[in-house]
Amino acid sequence: MRRLLIAFVAGLVLATCCVPRALAQGTGDTQPTTVLLELGFSNELPSDQWAPVRVIVSPTDQAVQAVARIVVQMSSNDSITTIVPVDTTPGKETVTPTTLWVPPSIAGIQVDLVGQGGRRIASTSYGSIAGAQAIQLRPPTRMPIILGVGTPSLRLAFGNENYQRSFVGADEEALRNRLAVAKVAATTPQAVGGPPWLPTTPIAYQGLAATIVDGQLALGLEPAGVRALRESLISGGRVMVVNADNNALRALLGEHTPDGLNARAARTTTLPEDLGGPGEITSRWFDDASLPTGWKLVDGSNGLAAEGPVGLGWLMVLGFDPDELADAGLVTSTELAWHGTLAAMIDDELQRGLSVLGNDWDNQSLGTIASSSAMNWVMRSPAVGLGAFIAIFAMMVGLALAMGPINRLVLKRLRALHRWWLASLAWIALATIGAWILPPRVRSGPTSVNSVRVVDVWQSAQGGRHAWQSSMDGIFMNTSATIGLDDIDEGSWLSPTVDHSWQQRGGSGSLTMAPAGSVMKPGPTTARMWTVRTFQQHGATTPPIRAHMRLNGGRYTLRLEGDATDDFELAAVHTSGQWLHLLPGASPRMTGTTAEFVATRQDLTTLAPRYLNLDRVIENRWEYMYSDYGAREPHTGLALHLDGADTRGRAFDALGNTDQWAVVYLKWSDQTPLIGSDVGETFSTIWISRMAVPIEIQGAPR
């Protein structure tokens, strides 16, 4: 017994002294590798949008080539997996930016750093509740998010954390309501003393109500981030530049700087009352007479602020810096300066936030109505045919016969009444075979693919063309299959759909994303028989139609070129603040794939086409939102409020109100597959296009 006790004590001493030393020698006394995620904008994640994410890997002893596997688990039990290559630098923290689609509800996020051979190097979990197994994850928000780049005073005027503050003046309630719905995020430098970090992918700005940039920081921002912000702006984003001068504007806008956008030299002036005055302030100013086409001075700004289109986005420039008001302790003036400018630019986003905050089902936004209406259309599926009911009835009759007369008569003749259970087994076997064979034959329709696509085109005065699309797609599966998803546009970002109505329909199944060029491309996904898969698409595309508009002596000539010119159902032009109604109407002159419309100034009218008027849609919004009223074809004007397309509407309106630009509206239908070409048997695509085209003016108007 004594020997056993001595041996046990000796073993315990050896284990205590030697094992840690052996472990230290084996690991080199290094800290374990960790992998973390920096999510969204200051941890604010926009719901149902793409958002930036940075994968952060702690310093490693040697270079490691690995991939970060990010799995976002949705409440529907589906998941979105993103694969991101990560190359570490020895002795340095590695930061790898990427982009994720953010579902409305996240059950959890897991990020794994996987090395060669599938070896997991590090792993971190995020959940709704913090604990030993997960880091707490802030839930996604449907509220508008404002991103500030060097503008700290934004948080005085916006941010729902300020809701309990006291306000004074006639606008007290309006200010409080805006605070209730707006969230403010700020960019931070990647390193001490470095410039603020900006996402380097244009789609990452999709979930922002606006990006606010201090003009004095513009020259020091990372070029890749500035390029992405610029591309986001011309594709429909909203940007505000404060303390703007000409150098800052050129640095941010590059080749897209509008002609005539010049900030005049700074001078001491009186701050208008609408912007927090009266009071003296040093500010640059803008001359109304020299502003670019489609631009105007901000109401009540006395020339200290101007706004207008850049591409198909919207830019507001301020000649002064509201931060200076905050530095002087003028809190009320700071609030009014922001609310007199930024709040007016994003008023629609603030109204949407109010609707979400109050669960105001009676005042759904046009975007929500448009999304529900398009989903109703693309989710159409064949009804169960009469054959299904006949098959069910036949099986019930067969069961009754098998368990009754057949069982009694046949087994009695065979003197096997004690084997009555054989009839049940035989019937179950036959019913199982029937359940395997009959379903594909009793559904009255093939695998069908339905799409609604809005294509917005900006044709610059220099001749360049840029186009972006917003699509809703639905695939009804008549058989279980794998959908390749490799036939979408090269510049398309594909994501699941979200139904914000109570119906909670649709779904894309689980998706796996990996970088391919400048976008994240999905891998194949599986779908079962008699299910509907729904998807959204956003991003750059190739314009299906080329347009040219000429005005010669009061006579308009619109020439449209493309394969779809024979299929046009609707056509109209918005110019000089008025409308030309082309189709329905006189047929165009056709030459091959070119259609030519001719009209005069006398044909202009102030009445917009009926198919763009949304009064009836708003009045009867439930009929467009809910499938109980039937799957009607999406209203043309309503489809222009699909996510992405809606933010480009203000630029189109501004350009259409000038004499120098024409905005062409077209609609047609065809059988072009936009997705699911490897599984679809029938295709139905609705196209709606807006094109901003400079007018070639020849001769003097009559």
Side-chain angles (χ1 to χ4, degrees), residues 383-662:
V384 176
L386 181 61
F389 297 100
I390 294 176
I392 294 173
F393 179 75
M395 288 184 179
M396 294 176 63
V397 172
L399 175 62
L401 291 174
M403 300 301 294
I406 293 178
N407 205 350
R408 177 70 178 174
L409 296 175
V410 174
L411 294 182
K412 183 177 181 181
R413 177 177 289 273
L414 297 175
R415 297 181 180 180
L417 285 175
H418 59 287
R419 302 188 186 277
W420 56 268
W421 46 269
L422 285 173
S424 299
L425 288 180
W427 185 89
I428 291 172
L430 290 174
T432 301
I433 295 172
W436 181 264
I437 295 175
L438 289 178
R441 294 169 168 35
V442 301
R443 193 77 174 199
S444 57
T447 295
S448 56
V449 181
N450 303 307
S451 299
V452 177
R453 171 162 288 189
V454 177
V455 179
D456 290 329
V457 182
W458 172 53
Q459 206 163 297
S460 69
Q462 290 74 30
R465 291 197 307 162
H466 305 265
W468 301 272
Q469 55 90 4
S470 298
S471 303
M472 186 81 72
D473 307 297
I475 306 175
F476 162 72
M477 304 297 298
N478 192 35
T479 184
S480 298
T482 298
I483 307 172
L485 298 179
D486 55 357
D487 53 352
I488 61 177
D489 280 1
E490 183 178 348
S492 181
W493 292 75
L494 183 137
S495 61
T497 58
V498 175
D499 185 8
H500 292 295
S501 71
W502 60 270
Q503 301 171 98
Q504 297 298 310
R505 306 153 302 153
S508 64
S510 295
L511 295 174
T512 298
M513 304 281 187
S518 60
V519 301
M520 299 294 290
K521 283 294 185 182
T525 184
T526 58
R528 295 181 179 178
M529 181 174 60
W530 294 1
T531 60
V532 178
R533 289 284 184 251
T534 55
F535 304 92
Q536 302 176 82
Q537 295 187 59
H538 300 93
T541 188
T542 301
I545 300 294
R546 178 181 290 272
H548 178 266
M549 187 80 169
R550 183 173 68 249
L551 174 61
N552 189 351
R555 179 186 175 91
Y556 290 103
T557 302
L558 173 63
R559 189 174 70 249
L560 302 171
E561 302 173 11
D563 294 336
T565 50
D566 277 337
D567 301 321
F568 289 156
E569 302 167 18
L570 304 174
V573 175
H574 185 210
T575 185
S576 301
Q578 300 183 78
W579 293 88
L580 291 172
H581 297 209
L582 303 178
L583 283 178
S587 299
R589 186 176 67 183
M590 297 296 301
T591 305
T593 59
T594 300
E596 188 171 273
F597 293 90
V598 177
T600 66
R601 282 188 177 273
Q602 285 70 36
D603 296 322
L604 289 169
T605 177
T606 57
L607 295 176
R610 177 180 51 82
Y611 48 82
L612 296 178
N613 190 316
L614 296 176
D615 290 343
R616 187 182 182 282
V617 173
I618 296 172
E619 182 180 349
N620 301 282
R621 55 190 173 275
W622 307 116
E623 297 180 15
Y624 293 86
M625 289 186 67
Y626 297 113
S627 56
D628 295 346
Y629 292 92
R632 64 175 67 192
E633 183 174 310
H635 186 282
T636 303
L638 183 60
L640 298 177
H641 289 272
L642 286 173
D643 190 24
D646 57 341
T647 61
R648 297 188 277 267
R650 182 182 296 185
F652 279 120
D653 290 342
L655 294 174
N657 285 325
T658 69
D659 297 330
Q660 294 80 21
W661 286 81

Side-chain angles (χ1 to χ4, degrees), residues 212-386:
I212 320 302
V213 181
D214 185 338
Q216 301 311 300
L217 296 178
L219 296 176
L221 296 174
E222 292 289 342
V226 172
R227 285 194 298 269
L229 178 62
R230 184 185 306 150
E231 182 64 29
S232 168
L233 170 61
I234 67 170
S235 66
R238 297 176 185 178
V239 175
M240 183 179 191
V241 183
V242 303
N243 203 8
D245 60 23
N246 294 325
N247 290 332
L249 294 175
R250 283 192 292 269
L252 290 172
L253 305 180
E255 69 276 17
H256 300 303
T257 305
D259 294 335
L261 181 57
N262 292 303
R264 303 303 175 95
R267 65 183 183 185
T268 301
T269 186
T270 301
L271 188 66
E273 186 175 347
D274 290 349
L275 302 185
E280 295 296 316
I281 191 171
T282 300
S283 172
R284 299 172 186 85
W285 58 284
F286 302 90
D287 184 3
D288 189 22
S290 64
L291 286 176
T293 301
W295 278 64
K296 65 176 184 178
L297 297 178
V298 174
D299 293 341
S301 69
N302 291 354
L304 303 187
E307 62 179 342
V310 175
L312 297 183
W314 200 257
L315 176 68
M316 181 178 286
V317 290
L318 268 64
F320 65 97
D321 188 357
D323 286 351
E324 294 183 6
L325 301 175
D327 292 342
L330 303 175
V331 176
T332 301
S333 295
T334 305
E335 293 165 351
L336 291 175
W338 286 115
H339 284 273
T341 52
L342 175 59
M345 184 173 75
I346 62 170
D347 182 66
D348 56 337
E349 292 282 347
L350 297 174
Q351 293 300 322
R352 178 182 61 81
L354 282 172
S355 176
V356 172
L357 183 68
N359 290 321
D360 190 356
W361 294 105
D362 290 330
N363 292 289
Q364 292 295 320
S365 68
L366 286 172
T368 300
I369 302 173
S371 176
S372 296
S373 175
M375 285 188 68
N376 290 340
W377 180 254
V378 303
M379 290 184 67
R380 291 172 298 144
S381 57
V384 176
L386 181 61

